[in-house]
Amino acid sequence: MRVNFPGWSILLVATLFVMGCAPVISKPLRDQVDKSLSFSDVFKDPEAHKGSVVVWAGVIIEAKNTKEGTLIEILQKPADVFGAPEEVDRSEGRFLALYPSYLDVAVYAKGRGMTVGGEIQGKRIMPLGEIQYSYPFVLAKEIYLWPDTSKERLAPYPYPGYPWWWYDPFWRPWYYPYPYDRVRPRR
């Protein structure tokens, strides 16, 4: 039996698929971004790129509320196709993002992934350990806090049926199967 799908159903599925892959920063802001401007260019000379719009991803190092708004120190990371910071050990430096209103610093905590879209305001020099660090400073117009996946529950056993069907007589034929092999043999 052959089933004919109407053309609109295929179009609907394709539209939903594309909408599910939408970037987290709005299109009007992304249209203002200078694609040729990299983080390392801005890091070398933030004052020369004042007024440029950027979209950067990274991991929150610290967030604190100030009179100006919430100041977030972020370790820059390369962004994936969705704009999320990649889980790599590579970074080109740190930057500061000022969000003009109050954000709860318990939610915007250390280690959370974040994507920031905003305008470069120059640089701010602040202490970092025993040195003075020059941070590129961004006035955030849009931010996106990525979900915390570090506390996701994993399956407690490596495959279905474990531990009931795990016993392999060729692996350790002289031991009893679970739970008796948890007992140490006497010496």
Side-chain angles (χ1 to χ4, degrees):
M1 182 171 138
R2 187 172 180 185
V3 178
N4 290 326
F5 289 104
W8 62 266
S9 64
I10 294 172
L11 183 64
L12 177 68
V13 170
T15 304
L16 291 174
F17 178 74
V18 170
M19 288 175 58
C21 300
V24 294
I25 301 297
S26 69
K27 183 159 176 45
L29 186 63
R30 284 185 289 124
D31 289 341
Q32 297 175 22
V33 173
D34 182 9
K35 307 276 192 258
S36 66
L37 189 61
S38 69
F39 182 83
S40 58
D41 294 337
V42 176
F43 188 77
K44 290 174 188 169
D45 191 11
E47 297 296 330
H49 302 289
K50 210 179 226 185
S52 299
V53 177
V54 293
V55 174
W56 290 335
V59 177
I60 297 174
I61 296 174
E62 182 183 13
K64 57 186 169 187
N65 288 307
T66 65
K67 293 177 187 175
E68 302 170 299
T70 303
L71 186 65
I72 307 168
E73 181 181 348
I74 303 169
L75 177 67
Q76 183 271 341
K77 298 275 186 163
D80 65 10
V81 295
F82 301 109
E86 293 179 355
E87 293 185 23
V88 295
D89 292 333
R90 187 178 68 233
S91 175
E92 295 181 13
R94 299 175 179 208
F95 67 96
L96 293 174
L98 178 68
Y99 192 70
S101 64
Y102 170 79
L103 297 172
D104 193 338
V105 295
V107 175
Y108 289 79
K110 181 177 182 172
R112 297 285 304 267
M114 181 174 209
T115 301
V116 177
E119 185 179 324
I120 298 171
Q121 299 292 307
K123 67 179 178 180
R124 280 203 181 171
I125 299 174
M126 296 175 60
L128 176 63
E130 296 182 9
I131 64 167
Q132 294 295 316
Y133 192 83
S134 178
Y135 293 90
F137 182 62
V138 176
L139 180 61
K141 294 182 179 179
E142 292 182 27
I143 59 173
Y144 184 81
L145 185 66
W146 291 93
D148 185 12
T149 58
S150 65
K151 296 177 184 166
E152 284 184 358
R153 293 186 58 114
L154 300 175
Y157 300 108
Y159 51 86
Y162 183 89
W164 296 283
W165 297 299
W166 75 279
Y167 182 65
D168 181 4
F170 300 106
W171 175 247
R172 295 186 298 179
W174 52 87
Y175 282 127
Y176 292 104
Y178 181 84
Y180 302 109
D181 77 339
R182 299 288 179 178
V183 178
R184 284 189 173 169
R186 292 185 184 165
R187 291 186 183 188

